[in-house]
Amino acid sequence: MKVLVTGGTGYIGSHTCVALQAAGHEITIADNLSNSSPEALARIARISGTRPGFQALDMRDAPGLEKLFDAQCFDAIMHFAGVKAVAESVADPLKYYSNNVMGSIALFDSALRHGVTRLVFSSSATVYGENSRSPIREDAPVAPVNPYGRSKHMVEEILTEMCRANAGLRVMALRYFNPVGAHPSGLVGEAPVGTPNNLMPYLCQVAAGRLEELTVFGTDYPTPDGTAVRDYIHVMDLAEGHLRALEFLESHGGMHLVNLGTGRGTSVLEMLTAFQRVNQVPIPHRFGARRPGDTKETFADVALADRVLGWRTQYSLDDMCRDAWRWQKMNPKGYE
Ligand code: NAD
Ligand code: UFG
């Protein structure tokens, strides 16, 4: 298939491009490079032997989208492009509604008018309410608590209504839990700008000596070791999930919402311990207060992904720690 990958130079998009090319698909990436580097294209090429097509493009640039769809025919779109920092979304909500919602509308509008009917959208577990009981099923109440989560939910709603109005559409929104790790080659990975907020990149930078110590946010949660529990999923498994979604849409119409997680919860302390053991590197750390807005425990019910996609995760927590650290060591300054 010929696939348009928006946000394809970013963290999850770049890994999915590698998987798409390995499966024989032809891809074109459209990205405004606001949170990624063109070096990712060279890295994807080194792994897969093919440099993907690339178009520097903002999703809100309707004439630019029009030109792209006029020039090339696509069988499907994987829509990763968007902004994703929860705290920033609270400080600058318009940036989130503009990039994530307006950008998506411009993309879908152009795509529909050019007859592209298959679409996979990057959604997030953050759409679920804070009080959802884990394991969280796809039919759990949706109640996002910040503009980022709301922007993702709005796009899900827009897609659902588009599918109601257009019988020929085939759409899957994938709700990712906590993507971590990197390609086992160490050539592509997550390159956060500035000090990372997320646990795994923070761990990596402490291990590398770029940050002094990790603060474990909260030790008094009602969990077995008192620290918060998440469903960390290796980015390679996530990429494979996208391939399965594309295959599923070959024979299924309408709107589908599917969780991508491992179905297993891991606490902050378990992650910290695994990282030190697997990589034989000490992580200076201290115990601090809870981070505002954090939930005690979030992990996926993955029965639907198993049933409809025939997909289960293959990579372990040890793989996630090993691959994240290999990427960090090989690329101490990301793609710079
Ligand atoms: P990322 O920032 O690495 O990748 C996003 C890419 O989109 C970047 O290359 C960026 O330059 C590009 N982009 C942003 N706004 C754009 C715009 N208006 N026009 C064109 N390109 C634009 O992030 P990621 O972690 O790879 O996330 C990919 C998608 O998955 C995002 O939509 C994100 O919301 C979603 N998601 C991520 C996570 C996570 O923890 N990483 C969890 C759930 C969902
Ligand atoms: N944590 C620490 N110390 C740190 C960083 C994180 O203890 O320095 C803890 C957090 O308190 C939390 C856990 O590690 O308990 C995971 O935190 P992350 O920031 O890595 O991930 P979150 O689950 O908070 O959020 C992530 C993404 C969101 C997304 C959400 C659900 O950052 O964008 O997963 O998909 F919405």
Side-chain angles (χ1 to χ4, degrees), residues 119-121 170-174 245 248-249 256-258 308-309:
L119 198 141
V120 180
F121 171 61
R170 297 147 180 248
V171 179
M172 185 171 280
L174 297 171
F248 174 85
L249 295 179
H256 307 270
L257 289 162
V258 179
V308 306
L309 302 179

Side-chain angles (χ1 to χ4, degrees), residues 210-245:
R210 285 183 69 185
L211 293 168
E212 213 172 295
E213 63 176 5
L214 174 81
T215 302
V216 176
F217 295 138
T219 52
D220 58 349
Y221 285 104
T223 58
D225 65 21
T227 64
V229 167
R230 295 290 181 272
D231 187 340
Y232 299 96
I233 170 171
H234 198 295
V235 66
M236 297 295 292
D237 277 327
L238 204 59
E240 183 61 30
H242 286 73
L243 281 191
R244 298 296 177 87

Side-chain angles (χ1 to χ4, degrees), residues 6-14 30-37 57-60 79-84 98-100 103 121-126 148 152 174-179 190-191 198:
T6 77
T9 42
Y11 171 45
I12 302 168
S14 57
D31 198 302
N32 68 1
L33 299 173
S34 59
N35 196 38
S36 55
S37 160
L57 184 64
D58 191 289
M59 288 302 115
R60 295 159 296 181
H79 181 34
F80 295 95
V83 284
K84 59 164 186 177
S98 172
N99 278 279
N100 295 359
F121 171 61
S122 299
S123 191
S124 168
T126 191
Y148 168 62
K152 288 285 163 190
L174 297 171
R175 291 175 171 166
Y176 314 153
F177 281 68
N178 290 54
E190 187 173 13
N198 297 119

